[in-house]
Amino acid sequence: MANFVLHFPVNLRCFTVSASSSSNGAPPGGSGSGGGGGPVIVELPLDKIRRPLLRTRTNDPNKVQQLMDSISEIGLQVPIDVLEVDGIYYGFSGCHRYEAHQRLGLPTIRCKIRRGTKETLRHHMR
């Protein structure tokens, strides 16, 4: 099975498209609903991602510089993880990649977004 993500940067919507090699024509996952519900990969504007733990640690400047060089040359290879709760995006990981994008002046960053509840958000804030 192959998964593809189609991006529409104008409105930041994406669709997950699955292709299966099975001959019975049933959608992957077995449920037939096609809803999936798993994480999706999208480009988000940096200013739409809240970083609630930003002040709890400092980034390694050498690592940020290495990432800046890499991102400039080949682009971001691994998206940052983002939690979406009630339409608000929270980033708890990918601190060095996020800072590298900021310092490069890039307006967006590739994110793996998963939806969560306010309880999930409280768990991450501990």
Side-chain angles (χ1 to χ4, degrees):
M1 176 176 65
N3 288 320
F4 304 94
V5 177
L6 304 175
H7 300 278
F8 298 94
V10 173
N11 57 11
L12 298 175
R13 293 186 184 183
C14 72
F15 300 89
T16 301
V17 179
S18 297
S20 174
S21 61
S22 69
S23 59
N24 66 5
S31 69
S33 67
V40 294
I41 308 295
V42 297
E43 291 276 333
L44 280 180
L46 291 174
D47 62 359
K48 298 294 182 194
I49 303 169
R50 295 186 182 182
R51 309 284 301 177
L53 303 179
L54 188 61
R55 305 273 186 253
T56 62
R57 62 180 272 202
T58 58
N59 289 335
D60 177 348
N62 292 327
K63 186 172 180 180
V64 172
Q65 184 60 53
Q66 289 173 349
L67 282 164
M68 288 172 65
D69 296 342
S70 174
I71 291 166
S72 294
E73 190 173 323
I74 61 174
L76 181 64
Q77 298 301 296
V78 179
I80 65 169
D81 292 319
V82 172
L83 178 67
E84 184 263 316
V85 178
D86 296 334
I88 301 172
Y89 300 99
Y90 297 91
F92 294 97
S93 64
C95 300
H96 291 89
R97 289 170 283 169
Y98 184 89
E99 183 178 336
H101 272 70
Q102 280 184 315
R103 290 182 48 197
L104 286 167
L106 299 173
T108 63
I109 188 167
R110 189 175 318 125
C111 304
K112 180 170 68 172
I113 299 177
R114 65 183 174 87
R115 287 194 172 161
T117 63
K118 290 181 181 178
E119 183 58 34
T120 307
L121 179 59
R122 280 191 287 274
H123 174 75
H124 282 284
M125 299 292 290
R126 294 182 191 156

